[in-house]
Amino acid sequence: MFLVVGLGNPEKKYFNTYHNIGFLTVDKLAEKLGVKFSKTYSKASVAEGVLNGEKVILAKPKTYMNLSGASVQSFKNKFKLKNNQILVVVDDIDLPKGTFRYREAGSAGTHNGMRSIVQNIGSDFKRVRIGIKPEIKPLDLADYVLSDMDKEIREVLDSVIDAAANYILEHIEGLKK
């Protein structure tokens, strides 16, 4: 079993913001797996699928970003998951736009959603960080990450979201071997 958690904020007004990159990525994964977010449990919208015989749970916590760890902890307990069966997808202000990075473990960095998860389950879970670094450092980080993406930026990020989703699927397939 493998859990992929995309971080974002649940309200519609946040749909097209930088901080919802995690949600957008698990939406792309659901599309590629041919599954829909039709269930709710562990404080999250959930889609379930199978990839090469491996059960894959996709989750979008309904908590706000800063409380994401409670949802991840609930999944971990419910399914008796080990941290190496959990992958979190998140936006990263320190990575250039149009890039992503995979890590087996690490710190929360400046990301409050990741900080919440680390506080709840520790730091030894997998993560894919998708770059949203602005050209010029914003005066207010919260305003930037919660701002709407314009069409040009969204096209760049849609491309990296697709690449990250493909990478995640290949990674899950590799775990089965």
Side-chain angles (χ1 to χ4, degrees), residues 16 18 148-159:
N16 193 46
Y18 293 107
D148 277 341
M149 295 179 272
D150 66 30
K151 185 179 178 191
E152 183 179 303
I153 294 298
R154 179 65 193 258
E155 287 173 1
V156 168
L157 289 174
D158 280 347
S159 177

Side-chain angles (χ1 to χ4, degrees), residues 24-85:
L24 296 171
T25 304
V26 294
D27 285 343
K28 180 59 78 173
L29 283 167
E31 177 185 314
K32 290 176 180 287
L33 288 170
V35 297
K36 299 214 181 294
F37 286 88
S38 59
K39 298 179 182 180
T40 300
Y41 52 84
S42 295
K43 302 177 184 175
S45 293
V46 176
E48 295 179 351
V50 176
L51 181 63
N52 291 343
E54 183 80 17
K55 183 175 182 175
V56 178
I57 300 171
L58 306 176
K60 297 189 291 186
K62 290 185 173 194
T63 60
Y64 282 91
M65 183 70 74
N66 299 353
L67 302 173
S68 301
S71 178
V72 176
Q73 178 70 55
S74 179
F75 276 103
K76 184 177 176 180
N77 293 343
K78 180 179 180 74
F79 294 104
K80 298 182 182 9
L81 297 171
K82 295 177 182 163
N83 282 8
N84 69 354
Q85 295 173 282

